[in-house]
């Protein structure tokens, strides 16, 4: 095998194939992630809450929880309370 290529032990003459999604599927996935990020930003939801955060530590998750409460839940709760007062 070539240098830097992991050697595989396959039985009965099986051949190894690289697993990769076709280009169109990768583009679709990337577009979907970008649109989810846009929706999260519009509503003030941290990316880790919707499963898009990467390399999150305890400190950053704590800070994002505070941001979720302050930037998402508090404004929505205020709107709901205002509507209940009107009703």
């Amino acid at each position: 095998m070539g240098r830097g290529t992991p050697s595989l032990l396959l039985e009965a003459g099986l051949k190894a194939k690289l697993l990769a999604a076709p280009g169109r599927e990768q583009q679709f996935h990337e577009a979907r992630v970008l649109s989810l990020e846009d929706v999260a930003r519009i509503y003030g939801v941290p990316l880790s809450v919707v499963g898009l955060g990467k390399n999150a530590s305890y400190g950053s998750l704590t800070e994002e929880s505070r941001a979720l409460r302050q930037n998402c839940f508090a404004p929505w709760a205020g709107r709901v309370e205002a509507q209940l007062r009107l009703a």
Side-chain angles (χ1 to χ4, degrees), residues 22 26 32 56 74 77:
Q26 289 177 347
R32 185 155 170 89

Side-chain angles (χ1 to χ4, degrees), residues 40-54:
R41 284 187 192 102
I42 289 169
Y43 288 102
V45 177
L47 296 178
S48 67
V49 173
V50 293
L52 297 175
K54 297 174 183 134

Side-chain angles (χ1 to χ4, degrees), residues 30-50 52-54 64 67-68 71-72 75-76 79:
E30 185 176 332
R32 185 155 170 89
V33 168
L34 289 174
S35 65
L36 288 172
E37 288 175 352
D38 289 340
V39 170
R41 284 187 192 102
I42 289 169
Y43 288 102
V45 177
L47 296 178
S48 67
V49 173
V50 293
L52 297 175
K54 297 174 183 134
E64 286 184 353
L68 177 66
N71 299 330
C72 182
W76 282 101
R79 291 181 185 131

Side-chain angles (χ1 to χ4, degrees), residues 53-64:
K54 297 174 183 134
N55 300 331
S57 66
Y58 177 77
S60 65
L61 288 176
T62 302
E63 188 64 27
E64 286 184 353

